[in-house]
Amino acid sequence: MRQTDPVLMGPGPCNAYPEVMEAFARPVMGHLDPSFLALMDEVGDRLRQVFRTANPLTFAVSGTGSAGMEAALVNFVGEGDTVVIGVNGVFGGRMCDVAARCGAEVVRVEAPWGTPIDPQQLLDAHPSPSMIAVVHAETSTGVRNDLAELGAAKGDALLLADCVTSLGGIDLRVDEWGVDIAYSGTQKCLGVPPGLAPLTVSERALGRLRDVPQSWYLDLNMIARYVMGEGARAYHHTAPISMVYALHAGLGVLLDEGLDASFARHSACGGALQDGLEARGFELFAQEGSRLPQLTSVWVPDDRLPAGATEADVRRTLLEEYGIEIGGGLGDLAGKGWRIGCMGHTARRRNVALLLAALDDVLVG
Ligand code: PLP
């Protein structure tokens, strides 16, 4: 049995910035240490810049992106509410599941996987929804869904956006676009390992915060009261200290680079990757005009697979021999396509060149 840690074995692309990994090595402060509380406040300030919002209630939920999703739904909808949700991939479907468990009536607005949701269809789906929810960057398909048009015409509804894969990688303007609640995850374009879910909530949404949400852990009331100056900061749960250091460092790297520069880097790398794949006979899955640079979904051409090999065999070779990890396809793409992340620290031209060169080695024809 292998005794060495595979992560230490090779130079394979790592999604976390080096500064982030260094942050994990810092001594662990107490979670109520004033220096740690000041660091959490700084994380909030940095998140406001990255979300492009002035929302006072902006912080990192302890838990992965799905915890952000649950916090965004369980605090604002329940029995008697109608939630219109766009579904064009796995994560829109997950939002429907969570909203239904909160007791809300869910109106699903579907679009074929690989295509964006038509904002007008979402707006027309119900006369008076409590909330309209959409995934900004669908990681299962590589499609970007529009938010600005929804925010401009949402009426009385709250607009909820899943920004797990968009934050830091493509343009996102929470305040300008009228997004009321947005959550993300640390492990995508922020270049930080998984473990926290950045969340921002508008003051308009705060006015609709449920008194007793069905979750104790994700109940936003205590932090909302503190943030709005209506209560003292008090113990709620023990924060994952090292993850907060890591997020603080990752946001620092992103802000030093500049948001627009980060978007440009993701766009250049994603564009080069997509061009390189098309030149090698791969067909892009996501509709042109709505393609994410940070997540590329492709059909793998059968005639380029080595004799007797499946697409999964090729992915295994790429991982074991070149240190490159590629995601398998989901839905129609399962067993026939790939999802290739090029985000955060991995969004570098050298990684694109490495992958394309490795494909030239491994594929036939
Ligand atoms: N939403 C989107 C768009 C995602 O891509 C993911 C995870 O990949 C999630 C939600 C769930 O996040 P997590 O796996 O961190 O819980």
Side-chain angles (χ1 to χ4, degrees), residues 60-127:
V61 175
S62 299
T64 63
S66 304
M69 184 188 290
E70 291 225 15
L73 286 161
V74 78
N75 282 281
F76 300 99
V77 296
E79 271 178 37
D81 289 306
T82 301
V83 185
V84 173
I85 303 180
V87 181
N88 57 346
V90 168
F91 296 103
R94 186 177 296 184
M95 282 208 282
C96 293
D97 190 1
V98 176
R101 288 178 193 217
C102 294
E105 186 196 327
V106 174
V107 178
R108 289 171 76 106
V109 174
E110 310 247 1
W113 288 32
T115 67
I117 315 255
D118 175 2
Q120 199 55 49
Q121 254 182 285
L122 282 169
L123 293 165
D124 292 344
H126 191 273

Side-chain angles (χ1 to χ4, degrees), residues 63-69 90-92 94-95 135-140 162-166 183-188 194-197 339:
T64 63
S66 304
M69 184 188 290
V90 168
F91 296 103
R94 186 177 296 184
M95 282 208 282
V135 179
H136 188 205
E138 230 326 327
T139 328
S140 57
D162 174 317
C163 300
V164 169
T165 295
S166 61
Y183 59 86
S184 188
T186 41
Q187 72 272 27
K188 299 286 195 325
L196 290 173
R339 291 173 311 124

Side-chain angles (χ1 to χ4, degrees), residues 121-164:
Q121 254 182 285
L122 282 169
L123 293 165
D124 292 344
H126 191 273
S128 55
S130 309
M131 180 185 273
I132 300 172
V134 74
V135 179
H136 188 205
E138 230 326 327
T139 328
S140 57
T141 60
V143 165
R144 179 179 47 75
N145 289 311
D146 187 71
L147 297 177
E149 208 177 317
L150 292 172
K154 68 189 174 185
D156 200 37
L158 295 176
L159 177 59
L160 165 62
D162 174 317
C163 300
V164 169

